[in-house]
Amino acid sequence: MSSSSSPRRALLIGAGIGGLTLAIALARRGVTVEVIDIQPSHAIAGWGLSLTGPSLRALDALALADTCVTAGYGITAISNCDSDGEVRHVIPLPPLLGPNRPSQIGLSRPALYDILREGALAAGVVIGYDRTIDGLHDDGETVRATLSDGSERFADLVIGADGVHSRVRSLLDIPSGPRYIGQMVWRALIPRPSWATSLHTFAGTESNAGLVPIADDRAYVFLTENRADPTPIAENTLAESMRELLAPFGGRVAEVRELITDSSVVVRRPVHVVMVEGPWHRGRTVIIGDAAHAPSPQLVSGAALAIEDGVLLAEEVAAATDIEQALSAFTQRRLERCRLVVESSVRIADLGRTGRHAEADEVQQRCHRAMAAPA
């Protein structure tokens, strides 16, 4: 196969949100797709997430948006509150799917993975777990990939959708690895309070908190711990530790704090950001999603960027006659938008640390408006 041909075989490293979205988009265009992931098939980190308007718009192109909407909880605004729960600023979210459909949804992370995995399998994608990539050799026409189980794959296109600590990014010797920004993010699954009909944030003096409804009966509480030690703590103490960090908050946060009693439904993760300024590819191998651009969670847009990547990379590959030109065009199409989200998320985190919450609200609103523009 010459280097100017469209791909017939693609290998994706990472069965996460971006990888599965891309797998669906490529397979529906007739590409034979295999996805591998280092995690076992049941390993899903975290309880919930937000699918913003841009992510729903991209999923709508794959006829999956309504399935996600049905599985989640519709949101039309972000309510930014003080530490006692008094609303101080509301950000109305643009309805990118049109009338009578939500602007954003809160969704169980396992539910989203199930939707994407089922969509990939229905499109003929092969998914394998408990393995990753160990080596890449690109001869200009085909990439030979050596896997961690000793087997080999031959593909016309290889995609690293393997997250912040991307193995593919390292193999390609692409700089700009993850940077810890001094924050830990906590999430806990709780019953949804009756008042939780939008995404709420709560500005504290030391940390910031929030709540996202993900179903009629469920929500998740999140806490962004500033100036945090990333050293792991005992898992059986997670619920107690999270309640202690939420103790300075009053009102609605105090109400939900007492619902956090089971450490098995609490996750604690360090916040790393990544911004690869480009190029995102070497030869016929490219990185997408968090491997190329990982924002901090303040804009709840990491999933949106990864989903957009999957849909738009498939578009570029289908439209081009040269794979490397398609990958270059993809980077150029995505670079400014992804940089905006990453830099804005870090700016919001910095403003929150210093108590400049009104300024953080303005940055948040500007970025959501910008992301409403076509990708």
Side-chain angles (χ1 to χ4, degrees):
M1 178 173 288
S2 71
S3 62
S4 62
S5 301
S6 297
R8 293 183 302 198
R9 302 161 298 172
L11 175 66
L12 277 80
I13 318 303
I17 294 170
L20 290 175
T21 301
L22 175 59
I24 295 167
L26 287 175
R28 290 183 181 177
R29 286 173 166 82
V31 179
T32 299
V33 181
E34 180 179 3
V35 181
I36 64 170
D37 196 285
I38 194 171
Q39 299 292 336
S41 60
H42 62 277
I44 299 173
W47 293 111
L49 49 73
S50 295
L51 290 182
T52 60
S55 57
L56 291 174
R57 178 175 55 195
L59 288 169
D60 208 32
L62 301 178
L64 292 174
D66 286 331
T67 305
C68 293
V69 168
T70 300
Y73 192 96
I75 295 169
T76 59
I78 299 173
S79 299
N80 293 322
C81 308
D82 64 20
S83 61
D84 288 325
E86 292 297 321
V87 177
R88 53 182 177 75
H89 183 255
V90 175
I91 299 176
L93 298 168
L96 302 186
L97 294 184
N100 304 317
R101 298 165 88 186
S103 304
Q104 181 171 311
I105 63 169
L107 181 65
S108 157
R109 190 174 289 265
L112 177 60
Y113 274 83
D114 285 344
I115 291 167
L116 294 176
R117 185 164 44 236
E118 289 171 10
L121 293 173
V125 175
V126 174
I127 307 176
Y129 297 93
D130 297 299
R131 70 193 71 165
T132 189
I133 192 143
D134 270 356
L136 291 166
H137 176 73
D138 187 338
D139 66 8
E141 297 194 3
T142 303
V143 181
R144 174 169 55 85
T146 304
L147 307 189
S148 55
D149 61 5
S151 62
E152 291 184 338
R153 301 291 189 274
F154 294 87
D156 311 307
L157 174 64
V158 175
I159 304 98
D162 51 344
V164 170
H165 301 287
S166 171
R167 172 70 171 153
V168 176
R169 187 181 62 228
S170 177
L171 289 172
L172 296 180
D173 197 27
I174 293 177
S176 303
R179 176 171 64 90
Y180 177 60
I181 65 168
Q183 292 182 325
M184 298 293 289
V185 62
W186 300 66
R187 293 184 177 92
L189 191 66
I190 63 166
R192 183 184 70 86
S194 60
W195 51 263
T197 57
S198 65
L199 192 161
H200 284 73
T201 71
F202 305 94
T205 55
E206 295 296 329
S207 300
N208 298 309
L211 186 143
V212 180
I214 60 174
D216 286 341
D217 61 345
R218 288 181 296 166
Y220 74 87
V221 181
F222 64 86
L223 170 76
T224 304
E225 180 188 3
N226 292 315
R227 293 176 286 276
D229 181 354
T231 304
I233 65 175
E235 291 190 4
N236 63 353
T237 68
L238 287 172
E240 179 183 359
S241 297
M242 188 173 183
R243 288 198 308 273
E244 289 176 358
L245 288 167
L246 290 171
F249 293 84
R252 287 174 167 175
V253 180
E255 171 191 334
V256 300
R257 181 177 63 235
E258 300 311 310
L259 301 175
I260 304 170
T261 58
D262 182 358
S263 289
S264 69
V265 297
V266 179
V267 294
R268 173 181 181 263
R269 298 285 185 272
V271 177
H272 291 96
V273 298
V274 173
M275 188 62 232
V276 178
E277 290 294 338
W280 294 350
H281 76 286
R282 299 283 189 270
R284 290 169 168 260
T285 301
V286 64
I287 54 174
I288 69 170
D290 282 354
H293 47 73
S296 66
Q298 279 78 8
L299 283 166
V300 293
S301 292
L305 293 182
I307 291 167
E308 284 185 340
D309 276 359
V311 172
L312 299 182
L313 177 56
E315 286 183 9
E316 293 292 342
V317 168
T321 57
D322 182 283
I323 291 176
E324 290 193 46
Q325 287 182 2
L327 300 184
S328 293
F330 167 71
T331 302
Q332 291 304 311
R333 184 176 180 181
R334 299 295 290 151
L335 188 60
E336 182 178 348
R337 186 177 182 89
C338 295
R339 185 192 298 118
L340 170 68
V341 174
V342 172
E343 291 182 352
S344 296
S345 71
V346 174
R347 177 62 175 158
I348 292 169
D350 290 341
L351 291 169
R353 268 192 289 261
T354 56
R356 296 157 66 186
H357 301 299
E359 293 177 62
D361 294 345
E362 292 175 4
V363 176
Q364 184 185 36
Q365 186 158 359
R366 284 199 303 270
C367 192
H368 281 295
R369 285 175 179 166
M371 284 288 287

PDB file of all heavy atoms in Angstrom, residues 24-38:
ATOM      1  N   ILE A  24     -15.470   3.792  16.164  1.00  0.00           N
ATOM      2  CA  ILE A  24     -16.787   3.756  15.533  1.00  0.00           C
ATOM      3  C   ILE A  24     -16.767   4.528  14.216  1.00  0.00           C
ATOM      4  O   ILE A  24     -17.245   4.044  13.180  1.00  0.00           O
ATOM      5  CB  ILE A  24     -17.848   4.351  16.479  1.00  0.00           C
ATOM      6  CG1 ILE A  24     -18.006   3.478  17.728  1.00  0.00           C
ATOM      7  CG2 ILE A  24     -19.189   4.504  15.763  1.00  0.00           C
ATOM      8  CD1 ILE A  24     -18.804   4.149  18.840  1.00  0.00           C
ATOM      9  N   ALA A  25     -16.213   5.745  14.250  1.00  0.00           N
ATOM     10  CA  ALA A  25     -16.217   6.598  13.061  1.00  0.00           C
ATOM     11  C   ALA A  25     -15.415   5.978  11.918  1.00  0.00           C
ATOM     12  O   ALA A  25     -15.835   6.047  10.752  1.00  0.00           O
ATOM     13  CB  ALA A  25     -15.662   7.980  13.420  1.00  0.00           C
ATOM     14  N   LEU A  26     -14.273   5.365  12.218  1.00  0.00           N
ATOM     15  CA  LEU A  26     -13.470   4.733  11.166  1.00  0.00           C
ATOM     16  C   LEU A  26     -14.136   3.470  10.631  1.00  0.00           C
ATOM     17  O   LEU A  26     -14.192   3.249   9.416  1.00  0.00           O
ATOM     18  CB  LEU A  26     -12.081   4.389  11.709  1.00  0.00           C
ATOM     19  CG  LEU A  26     -11.110   5.539  11.954  1.00  0.00           C
ATOM     20  CD1 LEU A  26      -9.828   5.023  12.604  1.00  0.00           C
ATOM     21  CD2 LEU A  26     -10.781   6.269  10.648  1.00  0.00           C
ATOM     22  N   ALA A  27     -14.630   2.634  11.543  1.00  0.00           N
ATOM     23  CA  ALA A  27     -15.234   1.369  11.110  1.00  0.00           C
ATOM     24  C   ALA A  27     -16.454   1.611  10.231  1.00  0.00           C
ATOM     25  O   ALA A  27     -16.690   0.873   9.260  1.00  0.00           O
ATOM     26  CB  ALA A  27     -15.614   0.531  12.327  1.00  0.00           C
ATOM     27  N   ARG A  28     -17.223   2.641  10.512  1.00  0.00           N
ATOM     28  CA  ARG A  28     -18.388   2.944   9.683  1.00  0.00           C
ATOM     29  C   ARG A  28     -17.998   3.445   8.306  1.00  0.00           C
ATOM     30  O   ARG A  28     -18.835   3.488   7.392  1.00  0.00           O
ATOM     31  CB  ARG A  28     -19.281   3.962  10.387  1.00  0.00           C
ATOM     32  CG  ARG A  28     -19.994   3.411  11.610  1.00  0.00           C
ATOM     33  CD  ARG A  28     -20.914   4.461  12.194  1.00  0.00           C
ATOM     34  NE  ARG A  28     -21.601   3.990  13.398  1.00  0.00           N
ATOM     35  CZ  ARG A  28     -22.423   4.747  14.120  1.00  0.00           C
ATOM     36  NH1 ARG A  28     -22.649   5.999  13.767  1.00  0.00           N
ATOM     37  NH2 ARG A  28     -23.012   4.257  15.197  1.00  0.00           N
ATOM     38  N   ARG A  29     -16.722   3.819   8.156  1.00  0.00           N
ATOM     39  CA  ARG A  29     -16.214   4.223   6.847  1.00  0.00           C
ATOM     40  C   ARG A  29     -15.493   3.074   6.138  1.00  0.00           C
ATOM     41  O   ARG A  29     -14.798   3.293   5.151  1.00  0.00           O
ATOM     42  CB  ARG A  29     -15.279   5.421   6.996  1.00  0.00           C
ATOM     43  CG  ARG A  29     -16.007   6.730   7.296  1.00  0.00           C
ATOM     44  CD  ARG A  29     -15.021   7.845   7.600  1.00  0.00           C
ATOM     45  NE  ARG A  29     -15.653   9.161   7.569  1.00  0.00           N
ATOM     46  CZ  ARG A  29     -16.335   9.708   8.555  1.00  0.00           C
ATOM     47  NH1 ARG A  29     -16.475   9.039   9.698  1.00  0.00           N
ATOM     48  NH2 ARG A  29     -16.870  10.888   8.436  1.00  0.00           N
ATOM     49  N   GLY A  30     -15.620   1.880   6.666  1.00  0.00           N
ATOM     50  CA  GLY A  30     -15.063   0.714   5.998  1.00  0.00           C
ATOM     51  C   GLY A  30     -13.660   0.325   6.405  1.00  0.00           C
ATOM     52  O   GLY A  30     -13.079  -0.590   5.815  1.00  0.00           O
ATOM     53  N   VAL A  31     -13.106   0.980   7.421  1.00  0.00           N
ATOM     54  CA  VAL A  31     -11.762   0.644   7.893  1.00  0.00           C
ATOM     55  C   VAL A  31     -11.856  -0.533   8.870  1.00  0.00           C
ATOM     56  O   VAL A  31     -12.750  -0.571   9.725  1.00  0.00           O
ATOM     57  CB  VAL A  31     -11.098   1.854   8.578  1.00  0.00           C
ATOM     58  CG1 VAL A  31      -9.698   1.507   9.086  1.00  0.00           C
ATOM     59  CG2 VAL A  31     -11.057   3.050   7.625  1.00  0.00           C
ATOM     60  N   THR A  32     -10.951  -1.487   8.752  1.00  0.00           N
ATOM     61  CA  THR A  32     -10.856  -2.580   9.715  1.00  0.00           C
ATOM     62  C   THR A  32     -10.117  -2.060  10.944  1.00  0.00           C
ATOM     63  O   THR A  32      -8.958  -1.631  10.841  1.00  0.00           O
ATOM     64  CB  THR A  32     -10.112  -3.776   9.121  1.00  0.00           C
ATOM     65  OG1 THR A  32     -10.837  -4.251   7.987  1.00  0.00           O
ATOM     66  CG2 THR A  32      -9.962  -4.899  10.133  1.00  0.00           C
ATOM     67  N   VAL A  33     -10.773  -2.092  12.097  1.00  0.00           N
ATOM     68  CA  VAL A  33     -10.246  -1.433  13.292  1.00  0.00           C
ATOM     69  C   VAL A  33     -10.079  -2.433  14.426  1.00  0.00           C
ATOM     70  O   VAL A  33     -11.002  -3.208  14.721  1.00  0.00           O
ATOM     71  CB  VAL A  33     -11.183  -0.294  13.763  1.00  0.00           C
ATOM     72  CG1 VAL A  33     -10.596   0.405  14.993  1.00  0.00           C
ATOM     73  CG2 VAL A  33     -11.438   0.701  12.641  1.00  0.00           C
ATOM     74  N   GLU A  34      -8.912  -2.388  15.062  1.00  0.00           N
ATOM     75  CA  GLU A  34      -8.669  -3.123  16.304  1.00  0.00           C
ATOM     76  C   GLU A  34      -8.286  -2.117  17.381  1.00  0.00           C
ATOM     77  O   GLU A  34      -7.484  -1.209  17.141  1.00  0.00           O
ATOM     78  CB  GLU A  34      -7.572  -4.160  16.159  1.00  0.00           C
ATOM     79  CG  GLU A  34      -7.301  -4.931  17.456  1.00  0.00           C
ATOM     80  CD  GLU A  34      -6.221  -5.991  17.335  1.00  0.00           C
ATOM     81  OE1 GLU A  34      -5.619  -6.109  16.253  1.00  0.00           O
ATOM     82  OE2 GLU A  34      -5.969  -6.685  18.342  1.00  0.00           O
ATOM     83  N   VAL A  35      -8.866  -2.276  18.563  1.00  0.00           N
ATOM     84  CA  VAL A  35      -8.554  -1.428  19.711  1.00  0.00           C
ATOM     85  C   VAL A  35      -7.964  -2.303  20.795  1.00  0.00           C
ATOM     86  O   VAL A  35      -8.504  -3.381  21.090  1.00  0.00           O
ATOM     87  CB  VAL A  35      -9.821  -0.719  20.251  1.00  0.00           C
ATOM     88  CG1 VAL A  35      -9.463   0.174  21.436  1.00  0.00           C
ATOM     89  CG2 VAL A  35     -10.503   0.086  19.158  1.00  0.00           C
ATOM     90  N   ILE A  36      -6.863  -1.857  21.403  1.00  0.00           N
ATOM     91  CA  ILE A  36      -6.302  -2.569  22.550  1.00  0.00           C
ATOM     92  C   ILE A  36      -6.187  -1.606  23.717  1.00  0.00           C
ATOM     93  O   ILE A  36      -6.075  -0.388  23.535  1.00  0.00           O
ATOM     94  CB  ILE A  36      -4.929  -3.195  22.243  1.00  0.00           C
ATOM     95  CG1 ILE A  36      -3.881  -2.117  21.926  1.00  0.00           C
ATOM     96  CG2 ILE A  36      -5.029  -4.202  21.108  1.00  0.00           C
ATOM     97  CD1 ILE A  36      -2.463  -2.655  21.858  1.00  0.00           C
ATOM     98  N   ASP A  37      -6.243  -2.159  24.920  1.00  0.00           N
ATOM     99  CA  ASP A  37      -6.168  -1.328  26.120  1.00  0.00           C
ATOM    100  C   ASP A  37      -5.441  -2.102  27.213  1.00  0.00           C
ATOM    101  O   ASP A  37      -5.655  -3.313  27.368  1.00  0.00           O
ATOM    102  CB  ASP A  37      -7.569  -0.938  26.596  1.00  0.00           C
ATOM    103  CG  ASP A  37      -7.539   0.221  27.579  1.00  0.00           C
ATOM    104  OD1 ASP A  37      -7.169   0.017  28.748  1.00  0.00           O
ATOM    105  OD2 ASP A  37      -7.880   1.346  27.167  1.00  0.00           O
ATOM    106  N   ILE A  38      -4.615  -1.400  27.972  1.00  0.00           N
ATOM    107  CA  ILE A  38      -3.822  -2.046  29.019  1.00  0.00           C
ATOM    108  C   ILE A  38      -4.681  -2.492  30.190  1.00  0.00           C
ATOM    109  O   ILE A  38      -4.315  -3.407  30.931  1.00  0.00           O
ATOM    110  CB  ILE A  38      -2.687  -1.111  29.494  1.00  0.00           C
ATOM    111  CG1 ILE A  38      -1.657  -1.880  30.317  1.00  0.00           C
ATOM    112  CG2 ILE A  38      -3.274   0.078  30.262  1.00  0.00           C
ATOM    113  CD1 ILE A  38      -0.412  -1.079  30.640  1.00  0.00           C
TER     114      ILE A  38
END
